[in-house]
Amino acid sequence: MTAALENYHARMQRVLDHIDRHLDGDLDLEAVSGVAAFSKFHFHRQFKATFGLSLHRYVQLARMRRASKQLAGEQGQSVTEIALDAGYETPDAFARAFRQRFGQSPSGFRKSPEWEPWLAAFQPLNAARSKIMPTTFTPDQVAIRDVSPTRVAIFEHEGDPATLEGTVQRFIAWRKAAGLSPRTNPTFNVWHTERSPDNPADYRMDLCVGVAADHPIDTGEGMVKAGEIPGGRCAVLRVTGDTHNLEPAAHYLYRDWLPASGEEMRDFPLYCQRFFLEGPGEGTAADLFLPLK
């Protein structure tokens, strides 16, 4: 990265930090562009070109994320107070926007938050922030672990990666119906091909959920099959923040870490385990596993 690009990213990072610290304040175009000393006449285009969403949309999502965390937290604020803090003139307007985004009312979310729709709703926000985050890794971030085998129920995806989201939603619906929560049953992705094969129809990936040895796996409708993620030595690299694209981490393991390590790969695909951080509201992380001999 050139010094000029580093300086540009640093100025944009100041903008994001300013928004985070001033969600209750004036975050219009003129105020925010001034933080990074950019022209207000061009900044809206600069922001969208850099982050993939408009300044207005980014601020909306950031305020809604704070509001949802306030609802799920223990601060004791009323829904009306939270709605006003989020920039809505009335609790009804806030409730409509909240339900549209998360599929729950604010009071329903406060009682029993559904975190998966929450995480999906903030994917654009996480993706925006990741665009100027470094995607470089270092050897000290890779640990070699002996992992135990895990019995899993496997939901296969075959075909164009563009259709993967539909498979993911069917997998989530199946997992919920089977009573397998990500809080109690580990969730894995196993990649049998690269992220973007020359022929998209060749793409293959398994969505898996760990199950106990005595848990029945209903394979009657052909959607799901029983299997196992084998135990053994693995190089493990953790990725936090935006975990939608793990390709930079995979490239690092294959291109940089593996040749320098002297290790050899085992005959099982690269896979990851996805999990919540300390609390679901803090987001997700992924451990990337490269099986070793």
Side-chain angles (χ1 to χ4, degrees), residues 20-55:
D20 287 345
R21 291 194 304 268
H22 298 87
L23 288 175
D24 292 327
D26 183 2
L27 293 174
D28 65 11
L29 182 64
E30 184 166 1
V32 176
S33 62
V35 171
F38 285 127
S39 166
K40 66 179 180 180
F41 298 108
H42 303 286
F43 183 69
H44 62 295
R45 291 188 178 91
Q46 286 178 282
F47 191 95
K48 189 165 187 177
T50 301
F51 297 114
L53 71 170
S54 69
L55 173 64

PDB file of all heavy atoms in Angstrom, residues 20-55:
ATOM      1  N   ASP A  20     -18.896   7.172  15.124  1.00  0.00           N
ATOM      2  CA  ASP A  20     -19.126   6.307  16.291  1.00  0.00           C
ATOM      3  C   ASP A  20     -19.233   7.120  17.585  1.00  0.00           C
ATOM      4  O   ASP A  20     -20.031   6.791  18.468  1.00  0.00           O
ATOM      5  CB  ASP A  20     -17.991   5.292  16.429  1.00  0.00           C
ATOM      6  CG  ASP A  20     -18.049   4.194  15.378  1.00  0.00           C
ATOM      7  OD1 ASP A  20     -19.110   4.047  14.734  1.00  0.00           O
ATOM      8  OD2 ASP A  20     -17.034   3.495  15.189  1.00  0.00           O
ATOM      9  N   ARG A  21     -18.434   8.170  17.694  1.00  0.00           N
ATOM     10  CA  ARG A  21     -18.396   8.958  18.941  1.00  0.00           C
ATOM     11  C   ARG A  21     -19.492  10.007  19.010  1.00  0.00           C
ATOM     12  O   ARG A  21     -19.749  10.559  20.090  1.00  0.00           O
ATOM     13  CB  ARG A  21     -17.035   9.647  19.088  1.00  0.00           C
ATOM     14  CG  ARG A  21     -15.874   8.714  19.351  1.00  0.00           C
ATOM     15  CD  ARG A  21     -14.652   9.495  19.817  1.00  0.00           C
ATOM     16  NE  ARG A  21     -14.282  10.540  18.867  1.00  0.00           N
ATOM     17  CZ  ARG A  21     -13.407  10.376  17.878  1.00  0.00           C
ATOM     18  NH1 ARG A  21     -12.836   9.206  17.706  1.00  0.00           N
ATOM     19  NH2 ARG A  21     -13.117  11.389  17.075  1.00  0.00           N
ATOM     20  N   HIS A  22     -20.126  10.315  17.867  1.00  0.00           N
ATOM     21  CA  HIS A  22     -21.080  11.425  17.838  1.00  0.00           C
ATOM     22  C   HIS A  22     -22.424  11.010  17.243  1.00  0.00           C
ATOM     23  O   HIS A  22     -23.038  11.772  16.481  1.00  0.00           O
ATOM     24  CB  HIS A  22     -20.498  12.606  17.041  1.00  0.00           C
ATOM     25  CG  HIS A  22     -19.253  13.169  17.631  1.00  0.00           C
ATOM     26  ND1 HIS A  22     -17.991  12.681  17.342  1.00  0.00           N
ATOM     27  CD2 HIS A  22     -19.065  14.188  18.521  1.00  0.00           C
ATOM     28  CE1 HIS A  22     -17.085  13.371  18.018  1.00  0.00           C
ATOM     29  NE2 HIS A  22     -17.708  14.292  18.732  1.00  0.00           N
ATOM     30  N   LEU A  23     -22.888   9.827  17.591  1.00  0.00           N
ATOM     31  CA  LEU A  23     -24.163   9.356  17.050  1.00  0.00           C
ATOM     32  C   LEU A  23     -25.336  10.227  17.487  1.00  0.00           C
ATOM     33  O   LEU A  23     -26.389  10.233  16.843  1.00  0.00           O
ATOM     34  CB  LEU A  23     -24.401   7.899  17.451  1.00  0.00           C
ATOM     35  CG  LEU A  23     -23.520   6.868  16.747  1.00  0.00           C
ATOM     36  CD1 LEU A  23     -23.767   5.472  17.314  1.00  0.00           C
ATOM     37  CD2 LEU A  23     -23.762   6.874  15.242  1.00  0.00           C
ATOM     38  N   ASP A  24     -25.178  10.955  18.592  1.00  0.00           N
ATOM     39  CA  ASP A  24     -26.236  11.855  19.047  1.00  0.00           C
ATOM     40  C   ASP A  24     -26.115  13.247  18.428  1.00  0.00           C
ATOM     41  O   ASP A  24     -26.988  14.098  18.646  1.00  0.00           O
ATOM     42  CB  ASP A  24     -26.198  11.999  20.574  1.00  0.00           C
ATOM     43  CG  ASP A  24     -26.581  10.721  21.280  1.00  0.00           C
ATOM     44  OD1 ASP A  24     -27.423   9.986  20.748  1.00  0.00           O
ATOM     45  OD2 ASP A  24     -26.011  10.440  22.354  1.00  0.00           O
ATOM     46  N   GLY A  25     -25.053  13.485  17.695  1.00  0.00           N
ATOM     47  CA  GLY A  25     -24.793  14.844  17.219  1.00  0.00           C
ATOM     48  C   GLY A  25     -25.156  15.063  15.761  1.00  0.00           C
ATOM     49  O   GLY A  25     -25.894  14.289  15.142  1.00  0.00           O
ATOM     50  N   ASP A  26     -24.604  16.140  15.234  1.00  0.00           N
ATOM     51  CA  ASP A  26     -24.864  16.540  13.848  1.00  0.00           C
ATOM     52  C   ASP A  26     -23.917  15.764  12.933  1.00  0.00           C
ATOM     53  O   ASP A  26     -22.696  15.975  12.962  1.00  0.00           O
ATOM     54  CB  ASP A  26     -24.623  18.044  13.713  1.00  0.00           C
ATOM     55  CG  ASP A  26     -24.937  18.550  12.309  1.00  0.00           C
ATOM     56  OD1 ASP A  26     -25.369  17.734  11.474  1.00  0.00           O
ATOM     57  OD2 ASP A  26     -24.744  19.752  12.057  1.00  0.00           O
ATOM     58  N   LEU A  27     -24.471  14.889  12.136  1.00  0.00           N
ATOM     59  CA  LEU A  27     -23.654  14.068  11.241  1.00  0.00           C
ATOM     60  C   LEU A  27     -24.055  14.308   9.787  1.00  0.00           C
ATOM     61  O   LEU A  27     -24.103  13.371   8.980  1.00  0.00           O
ATOM     62  CB  LEU A  27     -23.791  12.583  11.607  1.00  0.00           C
ATOM     63  CG  LEU A  27     -23.200  12.177  12.965  1.00  0.00           C
ATOM     64  CD1 LEU A  27     -23.514  10.726  13.282  1.00  0.00           C
ATOM     65  CD2 LEU A  27     -21.681  12.406  12.990  1.00  0.00           C
ATOM     66  N   ASP A  28     -24.337  15.567   9.457  1.00  0.00           N
ATOM     67  CA  ASP A  28     -24.674  15.859   8.075  1.00  0.00           C
ATOM     68  C   ASP A  28     -23.401  15.901   7.228  1.00  0.00           C
ATOM     69  O   ASP A  28     -22.276  15.793   7.731  1.00  0.00           O
ATOM     70  CB  ASP A  28     -25.475  17.150   7.953  1.00  0.00           C
ATOM     71  CG  ASP A  28     -24.689  18.394   8.358  1.00  0.00           C
ATOM     72  OD1 ASP A  28     -23.448  18.303   8.539  1.00  0.00           O
ATOM     73  OD2 ASP A  28     -25.298  19.469   8.495  1.00  0.00           O
ATOM     74  N   LEU A  29     -23.567  16.068   5.946  1.00  0.00           N
ATOM     75  CA  LEU A  29     -22.465  15.973   4.998  1.00  0.00           C
ATOM     76  C   LEU A  29     -21.359  16.965   5.313  1.00  0.00           C
ATOM     77  O   LEU A  29     -20.167  16.618   5.323  1.00  0.00           O
ATOM     78  CB  LEU A  29     -22.997  16.188   3.582  1.00  0.00           C
ATOM     79  CG  LEU A  29     -21.977  16.087   2.441  1.00  0.00           C
ATOM     80  CD1 LEU A  29     -21.416  14.683   2.355  1.00  0.00           C
ATOM     81  CD2 LEU A  29     -22.644  16.487   1.128  1.00  0.00           C
ATOM     82  N   GLU A  30     -21.736  18.207   5.597  1.00  0.00           N
ATOM     83  CA  GLU A  30     -20.726  19.242   5.827  1.00  0.00           C
ATOM     84  C   GLU A  30     -19.914  18.947   7.079  1.00  0.00           C
ATOM     85  O   GLU A  30     -18.679  19.067   7.084  1.00  0.00           O
ATOM     86  CB  GLU A  30     -21.391  20.614   5.933  1.00  0.00           C
ATOM     87  CG  GLU A  30     -20.393  21.750   6.067  1.00  0.00           C
ATOM     88  CD  GLU A  30     -21.020  23.118   5.836  1.00  0.00           C
ATOM     89  OE1 GLU A  30     -22.247  23.175   5.581  1.00  0.00           O
ATOM     90  OE2 GLU A  30     -20.294  24.115   5.906  1.00  0.00           O
ATOM     91  N   ALA A  31     -20.598  18.537   8.159  1.00  0.00           N
ATOM     92  CA  ALA A  31     -19.901  18.274   9.418  1.00  0.00           C
ATOM     93  C   ALA A  31     -18.934  17.103   9.284  1.00  0.00           C
ATOM     94  O   ALA A  31     -17.792  17.175   9.756  1.00  0.00           O
ATOM     95  CB  ALA A  31     -20.922  17.988  10.520  1.00  0.00           C
ATOM     96  N   VAL A  32     -19.387  16.030   8.639  1.00  0.00           N
ATOM     97  CA  VAL A  32     -18.562  14.823   8.565  1.00  0.00           C
ATOM     98  C   VAL A  32     -17.407  15.002   7.588  1.00  0.00           C
ATOM     99  O   VAL A  32     -16.281  14.570   7.862  1.00  0.00           O
ATOM    100  CB  VAL A  32     -19.432  13.607   8.181  1.00  0.00           C
ATOM    101  CG1 VAL A  32     -18.565  12.375   8.006  1.00  0.00           C
ATOM    102  CG2 VAL A  32     -20.481  13.353   9.259  1.00  0.00           C
ATOM    103  N   SER A  33     -17.646  15.642   6.451  1.00  0.00           N
ATOM    104  CA  SER A  33     -16.556  15.831   5.484  1.00  0.00           C
ATOM    105  C   SER A  33     -15.440  16.678   6.080  1.00  0.00           C
ATOM    106  O   SER A  33     -14.261  16.474   5.783  1.00  0.00           O
ATOM    107  CB  SER A  33     -17.084  16.473   4.202  1.00  0.00           C
ATOM    108  OG  SER A  33     -17.629  17.762   4.461  1.00  0.00           O
ATOM    109  N   GLY A  34     -15.813  17.628   6.953  1.00  0.00           N
ATOM    110  CA  GLY A  34     -14.811  18.483   7.572  1.00  0.00           C
ATOM    111  C   GLY A  34     -13.864  17.738   8.494  1.00  0.00           C
ATOM    112  O   GLY A  34     -12.720  18.158   8.680  1.00  0.00           O
ATOM    113  N   VAL A  35     -14.309  16.615   9.064  1.00  0.00           N
ATOM    114  CA  VAL A  35     -13.458  15.839   9.970  1.00  0.00           C
ATOM    115  C   VAL A  35     -12.203  15.350   9.253  1.00  0.00           C
ATOM    116  O   VAL A  35     -11.108  15.335   9.818  1.00  0.00           O
ATOM    117  CB  VAL A  35     -14.245  14.640  10.535  1.00  0.00           C
ATOM    118  CG1 VAL A  35     -13.336  13.696  11.295  1.00  0.00           C
ATOM    119  CG2 VAL A  35     -15.374  15.137  11.428  1.00  0.00           C
ATOM    120  N   ALA A  36     -12.356  14.961   7.987  1.00  0.00           N
ATOM    121  CA  ALA A  36     -11.223  14.453   7.219  1.00  0.00           C
ATOM    122  C   ALA A  36     -10.661  15.493   6.261  1.00  0.00           C
ATOM    123  O   ALA A  36      -9.776  15.188   5.464  1.00  0.00           O
ATOM    124  CB  ALA A  36     -11.646  13.217   6.436  1.00  0.00           C
ATOM    125  N   ALA A  37     -11.180  16.732   6.340  1.00  0.00           N
ATOM    126  CA  ALA A  37     -10.731  17.823   5.472  1.00  0.00           C
ATOM    127  C   ALA A  37     -10.923  17.494   3.996  1.00  0.00           C
ATOM    128  O   ALA A  37     -10.053  17.743   3.154  1.00  0.00           O
ATOM    129  CB  ALA A  37      -9.268  18.169   5.761  1.00  0.00           C
ATOM    130  N   PHE A  38     -12.076  16.891   3.683  1.00  0.00           N
ATOM    131  CA  PHE A  38     -12.456  16.656   2.292  1.00  0.00           C
ATOM    132  C   PHE A  38     -13.510  17.688   1.882  1.00  0.00           C
ATOM    133  O   PHE A  38     -14.277  18.172   2.726  1.00  0.00           O
ATOM    134  CB  PHE A  38     -13.043  15.257   2.114  1.00  0.00           C
ATOM    135  CG  PHE A  38     -12.031  14.151   2.147  1.00  0.00           C
ATOM    136  CD1 PHE A  38     -12.200  13.075   3.012  1.00  0.00           C
ATOM    137  CD2 PHE A  38     -10.930  14.148   1.296  1.00  0.00           C
ATOM    138  CE1 PHE A  38     -11.278  12.041   3.045  1.00  0.00           C
ATOM    139  CE2 PHE A  38     -10.007  13.124   1.326  1.00  0.00           C
ATOM    140  CZ  PHE A  38     -10.180  12.070   2.194  1.00  0.00           C
ATOM    141  N   SER A  39     -13.583  17.971   0.603  1.00  0.00           N
ATOM    142  CA  SER A  39     -14.592  18.894   0.094  1.00  0.00           C
ATOM    143  C   SER A  39     -15.986  18.296   0.241  1.00  0.00           C
ATOM    144  O   SER A  39     -16.221  17.150  -0.147  1.00  0.00           O
ATOM    145  CB  SER A  39     -14.326  19.203  -1.380  1.00  0.00           C
ATOM    146  OG  SER A  39     -15.452  19.826  -1.966  1.00  0.00           O
ATOM    147  N   LYS A  40     -16.908  19.089   0.775  1.00  0.00           N
ATOM    148  CA  LYS A  40     -18.281  18.599   0.943  1.00  0.00           C
ATOM    149  C   LYS A  40     -18.951  18.342  -0.404  1.00  0.00           C
ATOM    150  O   LYS A  40     -19.922  17.589  -0.490  1.00  0.00           O
ATOM    151  CB  LYS A  40     -19.106  19.595   1.753  1.00  0.00           C
ATOM    152  CG  LYS A  40     -19.343  20.926   1.050  1.00  0.00           C
ATOM    153  CD  LYS A  40     -20.192  21.860   1.907  1.00  0.00           C
ATOM    154  CE  LYS A  40     -20.421  23.198   1.202  1.00  0.00           C
ATOM    155  NZ  LYS A  40     -21.236  24.109   2.029  1.00  0.00           N
ATOM    156  N   PHE A  41     -18.427  18.956  -1.468  1.00  0.00           N
ATOM    157  CA  PHE A  41     -19.043  18.794  -2.789  1.00  0.00           C
ATOM    158  C   PHE A  41     -18.740  17.422  -3.396  1.00  0.00           C
ATOM    159  O   PHE A  41     -19.400  16.990  -4.326  1.00  0.00           O
ATOM    160  CB  PHE A  41     -18.573  19.907  -3.734  1.00  0.00           C
ATOM    161  CG  PHE A  41     -18.963  21.272  -3.253  1.00  0.00           C
ATOM    162  CD1 PHE A  41     -18.017  22.137  -2.740  1.00  0.00           C
ATOM    163  CD2 PHE A  41     -20.291  21.686  -3.286  1.00  0.00           C
ATOM    164  CE1 PHE A  41     -18.380  23.401  -2.282  1.00  0.00           C
ATOM    165  CE2 PHE A  41     -20.668  22.939  -2.824  1.00  0.00           C
ATOM    166  CZ  PHE A  41     -19.706  23.800  -2.323  1.00  0.00           C
ATOM    167  N   HIS A  42     -17.718  16.770  -2.886  1.00  0.00           N
ATOM    168  CA  HIS A  42     -17.320  15.461  -3.436  1.00  0.00           C
ATOM    169  C   HIS A  42     -17.413  14.336  -2.411  1.00  0.00           C
ATOM    170  O   HIS A  42     -17.349  13.159  -2.779  1.00  0.00           O
ATOM    171  CB  HIS A  42     -15.880  15.534  -3.965  1.00  0.00           C
ATOM    172  CG  HIS A  42     -15.666  16.596  -4.991  1.00  0.00           C
ATOM    173  ND1 HIS A  42     -16.136  16.484  -6.287  1.00  0.00           N
ATOM    174  CD2 HIS A  42     -15.053  17.800  -4.912  1.00  0.00           C
ATOM    175  CE1 HIS A  42     -15.814  17.567  -6.968  1.00  0.00           C
ATOM    176  NE2 HIS A  42     -15.164  18.385  -6.157  1.00  0.00           N
ATOM    177  N   PHE A  43     -17.557  14.719  -1.150  1.00  0.00           N
ATOM    178  CA  PHE A  43     -17.401  13.706  -0.101  1.00  0.00           C
ATOM    179  C   PHE A  43     -18.448  12.604  -0.181  1.00  0.00           C
ATOM    180  O   PHE A  43     -18.156  11.442   0.105  1.00  0.00           O
ATOM    181  CB  PHE A  43     -17.445  14.369   1.284  1.00  0.00           C
ATOM    182  CG  PHE A  43     -17.222  13.383   2.402  1.00  0.00           C
ATOM    183  CD1 PHE A  43     -15.982  12.803   2.582  1.00  0.00           C
ATOM    184  CD2 PHE A  43     -18.259  13.018   3.253  1.00  0.00           C
ATOM    185  CE1 PHE A  43     -15.773  11.886   3.603  1.00  0.00           C
ATOM    186  CE2 PHE A  43     -18.064  12.110   4.265  1.00  0.00           C
ATOM    187  CZ  PHE A  43     -16.812  11.534   4.443  1.00  0.00           C
ATOM    188  N   HIS A  44     -19.692  12.932  -0.547  1.00  0.00           N
ATOM    189  CA  HIS A  44     -20.705  11.890  -0.586  1.00  0.00           C
ATOM    190  C   HIS A  44     -20.340  10.818  -1.603  1.00  0.00           C
ATOM    191  O   HIS A  44     -20.572   9.628  -1.370  1.00  0.00           O
ATOM    192  CB  HIS A  44     -22.091  12.490  -0.886  1.00  0.00           C
ATOM    193  CG  HIS A  44     -22.216  13.170  -2.199  1.00  0.00           C
ATOM    194  ND1 HIS A  44     -21.508  14.316  -2.507  1.00  0.00           N
ATOM    195  CD2 HIS A  44     -22.954  12.881  -3.302  1.00  0.00           C
ATOM    196  CE1 HIS A  44     -21.819  14.705  -3.730  1.00  0.00           C
ATOM    197  NE2 HIS A  44     -22.685  13.845  -4.245  1.00  0.00           N
ATOM    198  N   ARG A  45     -19.715  11.219  -2.718  1.00  0.00           N
ATOM    199  CA  ARG A  45     -19.272  10.235  -3.697  1.00  0.00           C
ATOM    200  C   ARG A  45     -18.044   9.477  -3.202  1.00  0.00           C
ATOM    201  O   ARG A  45     -17.909   8.270  -3.424  1.00  0.00           O
ATOM    202  CB  ARG A  45     -18.975  10.905  -5.037  1.00  0.00           C
ATOM    203  CG  ARG A  45     -20.219  11.436  -5.741  1.00  0.00           C
ATOM    204  CD  ARG A  45     -19.889  11.906  -7.158  1.00  0.00           C
ATOM    205  NE  ARG A  45     -21.086  12.381  -7.847  1.00  0.00           N
ATOM    206  CZ  ARG A  45     -21.505  13.637  -7.826  1.00  0.00           C
ATOM    207  NH1 ARG A  45     -20.840  14.540  -7.115  1.00  0.00           N
ATOM    208  NH2 ARG A  45     -22.588  14.008  -8.481  1.00  0.00           N
ATOM    209  N   GLN A  46     -17.139  10.178  -2.534  1.00  0.00           N
ATOM    210  CA  GLN A  46     -15.965   9.519  -1.972  1.00  0.00           C
ATOM    211  C   GLN A  46     -16.372   8.454  -0.954  1.00  0.00           C
ATOM    212  O   GLN A  46     -15.845   7.337  -0.958  1.00  0.00           O
ATOM    213  CB  GLN A  46     -15.063  10.545  -1.262  1.00  0.00           C
ATOM    214  CG  GLN A  46     -14.276  11.445  -2.179  1.00  0.00           C
ATOM    215  CD  GLN A  46     -13.478  12.445  -1.360  1.00  0.00           C
ATOM    216  OE1 GLN A  46     -14.028  13.438  -0.865  1.00  0.00           O
ATOM    217  NE2 GLN A  46     -12.194  12.183  -1.187  1.00  0.00           N
ATOM    218  N   PHE A  47     -17.296   8.819  -0.089  1.00  0.00           N
ATOM    219  CA  PHE A  47     -17.714   7.902   0.972  1.00  0.00           C
ATOM    220  C   PHE A  47     -18.329   6.637   0.380  1.00  0.00           C
ATOM    221  O   PHE A  47     -17.968   5.521   0.756  1.00  0.00           O
ATOM    222  CB  PHE A  47     -18.708   8.599   1.908  1.00  0.00           C
ATOM    223  CG  PHE A  47     -18.984   7.833   3.173  1.00  0.00           C
ATOM    224  CD1 PHE A  47     -18.279   8.107   4.334  1.00  0.00           C
ATOM    225  CD2 PHE A  47     -19.952   6.832   3.219  1.00  0.00           C
ATOM    226  CE1 PHE A  47     -18.524   7.407   5.510  1.00  0.00           C
ATOM    227  CE2 PHE A  47     -20.207   6.128   4.376  1.00  0.00           C
ATOM    228  CZ  PHE A  47     -19.492   6.408   5.529  1.00  0.00           C
ATOM    229  N   LYS A  48     -19.239   6.807  -0.568  1.00  0.00           N
ATOM    230  CA  LYS A  48     -19.902   5.648  -1.161  1.00  0.00           C
ATOM    231  C   LYS A  48     -18.928   4.805  -1.971  1.00  0.00           C
ATOM    232  O   LYS A  48     -18.985   3.569  -1.953  1.00  0.00           O
ATOM    233  CB  LYS A  48     -21.078   6.078  -2.030  1.00  0.00           C
ATOM    234  CG  LYS A  48     -21.920   4.891  -2.490  1.00  0.00           C
ATOM    235  CD  LYS A  48     -23.265   5.323  -3.024  1.00  0.00           C
ATOM    236  CE  LYS A  48     -24.139   4.095  -3.316  1.00  0.00           C
ATOM    237  NZ  LYS A  48     -25.482   4.467  -3.778  1.00  0.00           N
ATOM    238  N   ALA A  49     -18.014   5.451  -2.671  1.00  0.00           N
ATOM    239  CA  ALA A  49     -17.031   4.700  -3.447  1.00  0.00           C
ATOM    240  C   ALA A  49     -16.109   3.895  -2.536  1.00  0.00           C
ATOM    241  O   ALA A  49     -15.693   2.787  -2.882  1.00  0.00           O
ATOM    242  CB  ALA A  49     -16.207   5.658  -4.310  1.00  0.00           C
ATOM    243  N   THR A  50     -15.806   4.433  -1.363  1.00  0.00           N
ATOM    244  CA  THR A  50     -14.904   3.746  -0.436  1.00  0.00           C
ATOM    245  C   THR A  50     -15.599   2.632   0.323  1.00  0.00           C
ATOM    246  O   THR A  50     -15.075   1.530   0.475  1.00  0.00           O
ATOM    247  CB  THR A  50     -14.302   4.747   0.572  1.00  0.00           C
ATOM    248  OG1 THR A  50     -13.589   5.753  -0.145  1.00  0.00           O
ATOM    249  CG2 THR A  50     -13.357   4.059   1.537  1.00  0.00           C
ATOM    250  N   PHE A  51     -16.826   2.903   0.808  1.00  0.00           N
ATOM    251  CA  PHE A  51     -17.471   1.977   1.743  1.00  0.00           C
ATOM    252  C   PHE A  51     -18.635   1.183   1.155  1.00  0.00           C
ATOM    253  O   PHE A  51     -19.139   0.266   1.798  1.00  0.00           O
ATOM    254  CB  PHE A  51     -17.943   2.747   2.981  1.00  0.00           C
ATOM    255  CG  PHE A  51     -16.823   3.374   3.754  1.00  0.00           C
ATOM    256  CD1 PHE A  51     -16.713   4.753   3.828  1.00  0.00           C
ATOM    257  CD2 PHE A  51     -15.879   2.593   4.384  1.00  0.00           C
ATOM    258  CE1 PHE A  51     -15.674   5.346   4.530  1.00  0.00           C
ATOM    259  CE2 PHE A  51     -14.831   3.170   5.089  1.00  0.00           C
ATOM    260  CZ  PHE A  51     -14.729   4.547   5.155  1.00  0.00           C
ATOM    261  N   GLY A  52     -19.086   1.553  -0.035  1.00  0.00           N
ATOM    262  CA  GLY A  52     -20.144   0.778  -0.666  1.00  0.00           C
ATOM    263  C   GLY A  52     -21.547   1.133  -0.232  1.00  0.00           C
ATOM    264  O   GLY A  52     -22.511   0.482  -0.652  1.00  0.00           O
ATOM    265  N   LEU A  53     -21.712   2.130   0.607  1.00  0.00           N
ATOM    266  CA  LEU A  53     -23.031   2.635   0.983  1.00  0.00           C
ATOM    267  C   LEU A  53     -22.912   4.111   1.297  1.00  0.00           C
ATOM    268  O   LEU A  53     -21.824   4.613   1.579  1.00  0.00           O
ATOM    269  CB  LEU A  53     -23.643   1.851   2.141  1.00  0.00           C
ATOM    270  CG  LEU A  53     -23.097   1.984   3.549  1.00  0.00           C
ATOM    271  CD1 LEU A  53     -24.042   1.306   4.529  1.00  0.00           C
ATOM    272  CD2 LEU A  53     -21.729   1.349   3.695  1.00  0.00           C
ATOM    273  N   SER A  54     -24.051   4.809   1.235  1.00  0.00           N
ATOM    274  CA  SER A  54     -24.019   6.261   1.410  1.00  0.00           C
ATOM    275  C   SER A  54     -23.759   6.624   2.862  1.00  0.00           C
ATOM    276  O   SER A  54     -23.962   5.813   3.780  1.00  0.00           O
ATOM    277  CB  SER A  54     -25.350   6.866   0.971  1.00  0.00           C
ATOM    278  OG  SER A  54     -26.390   6.491   1.877  1.00  0.00           O
ATOM    279  N   LEU A  55     -23.324   7.875   3.066  1.00  0.00           N
ATOM    280  CA  LEU A  55     -23.110   8.369   4.427  1.00  0.00           C
ATOM    281  C   LEU A  55     -24.404   8.285   5.231  1.00  0.00           C
ATOM    282  O   LEU A  55     -24.400   7.850   6.388  1.00  0.00           O
ATOM    283  CB  LEU A  55     -22.604   9.818   4.370  1.00  0.00           C
ATOM    284  CG  LEU A  55     -22.498  10.539   5.715  1.00  0.00           C
ATOM    285  CD1 LEU A  55     -21.458   9.874   6.605  1.00  0.00           C
ATOM    286  CD2 LEU A  55     -22.157  12.020   5.495  1.00  0.00           C
TER     287      LEU A  55
END
